[in-house]
Amino acid sequence: MAITVCGTCINFGSKLIKNDPAGLYITGRFDFKGCSTITQAQGVSTSYVVGRDPQDNCIQKFPFTSGSNANAIGDLACGGEGNAGFSSGTHGYSAGGYAPPFPNMHDAIEKFPFATDTNASDVGQMRCGMHKRGATMSPTHGYLAGGVSNNSDSCDHIGKFPFASEGAEADVGNLPRTQRDLTDGIMSTDCGYHHAGTDSSGDYRFKYPFASDTNASFTGEAIPAPLQTECAVGHSSPTDGFFSGGSKVSGPNPKKSCEIFKFPFASDTAVINSAYGNLLGQTDKPTGTSSDGAGFTTGGRSDAPPNANLDRITCFPFATDSNATDVAELACGSRGGAGAQV
């Protein structure tokens, strides 16, 4: 169907919308298909997996809706695994991670454009070389929390950098305790959330506001004691936070996790008593992204065969309690990479 604009009319084939003196003149029929609230935490078209292990800085992307496999579209300038990922309206960002020679860590903040398939460029610096930091973002800033430095010390810092001008990370607050292996990508319109990782005495959630620079606070137990999960990944709908995969490092049977958990942004005291659903198998260090209707968990490491990098792209719906399904494959197996979406 040809769409043409002529004077005061927009023609859709044989139908038109016209600016008439009496108002809008419309021929044909309009069907309302509904609408959804999209925040900075959800993409509408494309997911990115940024970095995949200490020796590979590949950037991959795949469409949310078609079930097509991912394509490699560029490379980071610095290290890949253990990096943190962010999304502005126009660019994806990666911060920190391992840098050759392994196991050194770097402090670079890099960005790549969504409009073209190209390599990332260095645009800023973190407070020091670090990896395993938790990442969230407001519409205007990327936020970094916790992490571990080259001397193997975990930190409790919360920092941010502006998307408009980039540059150095600014210290804006602290977590309740030192943490690393925090979840990425869990955020409401007002706050960033992290599910506790390594160095926690239990599985807790933390949150901090985007409107003011202040410390994070506890918001409830993430999953029932005595379990503790690290290296899980986060997902966000407009009303709920989700985390999936990771490793259970405490409890009667420590192992990689296959579970998906959910909590409401409206309640700071909610305790998660059961899993929302399951991934296709035990998955440690995957990458997490979110569309407007589903969470995507990609790559990671499995227990069978031991520590093999996975290439699967799995998806679970936000609207119903359901298991993830396999929808496509990455261009190459990945673990520990960051996510971005547009």
Side-chain angles (χ1 to χ4, degrees), residues 162-209:
F163 292 138
S165 58
E166 289 119 12
E169 171 193 352
D171 201 355
V172 298
N174 296 93
L175 297 170
R177 58 166 63 100
T178 59
Q179 293 286 167
R180 57 179 172 176
D181 297 315
L182 293 165
T183 53
D184 286 342
I186 306 178
M187 63 220 91
S188 66
T189 55
D190 303 315
C191 295
Y193 292 79
H194 296 290
H195 164 63
T198 311
D199 304 328
S200 173
S201 59
D203 256 13
Y204 292 95
R205 294 190 305 275
F206 312 106
K207 82 170 184 180
Y208 45 85

Side-chain angles (χ1 to χ4, degrees), residues 226-311:
L227 296 177
Q228 179 187 333
T229 305
E230 65 179 20
C231 296
V233 292
H235 320 269
S236 301
S237 76
T239 58
D240 299 287
F242 301 78
F243 54 94
S244 62
S247 291
K248 294 179 179 179
V249 295
S250 63
N253 187 23
K255 61 181 181 181
K256 295 178 175 63
S257 174
C258 63
E259 294 169 315
I260 305 166
F261 292 95
K262 169 185 174 181
F263 66 91
F265 292 137
S267 173
D268 281 348
T269 59
V271 176
I272 302 169
N273 290 313
S274 61
Y276 177 85
N278 289 288
L279 302 173
L280 294 184
Q282 295 168 348
T283 309
D284 177 40
K285 293 187 177 181
T287 298
T289 55
S290 304
S291 72
D292 57 344
F296 287 77
T297 304
T298 59
R301 296 187 303 180
S302 69
D303 274 338
N307 294 328
N309 285 3
L310 301 172
D311 64 0

Side-chain angles (χ1 to χ4, degrees), residues 2-302:
I3 301 175
T4 59
V5 179
C6 180
T8 58
C9 297
I10 303 176
N11 297 284
F12 301 84
S14 61
K15 309 298 189 295
L16 65 85
I17 301 174
K18 180 180 180 181
N19 184 16
D20 189 83
L24 284 178
Y25 176 75
I26 302 171
T27 65
R29 185 187 71 185
F30 274 79
D31 289 330
F32 178 70
K33 298 299 183 183
C35 60
S36 61
T37 302
I38 305 296
T39 74
Q40 74 276 6
Q42 296 92 40
V44 296
S45 65
T46 308
S47 175
Y48 292 80
V49 178
V50 186
R52 72 181 192 99
D53 66 35
Q55 309 302 323
D56 194 318
N57 301 339
C58 179
I59 302 171
Q60 306 180 59
K61 76 172 185 181
F62 62 89
F64 281 130
T65 56
S66 70
S68 299
N69 292 336
N71 292 315
I73 57 145
D75 292 290
L76 296 172
C78 300
E81 186 186 12
N83 52 328
F86 320 85
S87 308
S88 72
T90 58
H91 291 79
Y93 291 81
S94 172
Y98 286 119
F102 179 81
N104 288 337
M105 304 163 201
H106 69 86
D107 66 355
I109 299 173
E110 304 178 55
K111 79 173 183 180
F112 58 92
F114 292 140
T116 57
D117 295 344
T118 188
N119 295 334
S121 57
D122 190 340
V123 295
Q125 293 77 42
M126 301 192 305
R127 57 183 295 115
C128 63
M130 301 183 77
H131 76 149
K132 296 185 177 182
R133 305 190 74 183
T136 63
M137 62 262 184
S138 73
T140 58
H141 289 77
Y143 286 76
L144 291 151
V148 61
S149 63
N150 275 318
N151 61 9
S152 298
D153 289 337
S154 297
C155 81
D156 64 354
H157 298 287
I158 303 170
K160 72 177 183 181
F161 67 94
F163 292 138
S165 58
E166 289 119 12
E169 171 193 352
D171 201 355
V172 298
N174 296 93
L175 297 170
R177 58 166 63 100
T178 59
Q179 293 286 167
R180 57 179 172 176
D181 297 315
L182 293 165
T183 53
D184 286 342
I186 306 178
M187 63 220 91
S188 66
T189 55
D190 303 315
C191 295
Y193 292 79
H194 296 290
H195 164 63
T198 311
D199 304 328
S200 173
S201 59
D203 256 13
Y204 292 95
R205 294 190 305 275
F206 312 106
K207 82 170 184 180
Y208 45 85
F210 293 139
S212 60
D213 295 343
T214 188
N215 294 335
S217 59
F218 287 114
T219 65
E221 193 175 29
I223 58 178
L227 296 177
Q228 179 187 333
T229 305
E230 65 179 20
C231 296
V233 292
H235 320 269
S236 301
S237 76
T239 58
D240 299 287
F242 301 78
F243 54 94
S244 62
S247 291
K248 294 179 179 179
V249 295
S250 63
N253 187 23
K255 61 181 181 181
K256 295 178 175 63
S257 174
C258 63
E259 294 169 315
I260 305 166
F261 292 95
K262 169 185 174 181
F263 66 91
F265 292 137
S267 173
D268 281 348
T269 59
V271 176
I272 302 169
N273 290 313
S274 61
Y276 177 85
N278 289 288
L279 302 173
L280 294 184
Q282 295 168 348
T283 309
D284 177 40
K285 293 187 177 181
T287 298
T289 55
S290 304
S291 72
D292 57 344
F296 287 77
T297 304
T298 59
R301 296 187 303 180
S302 69

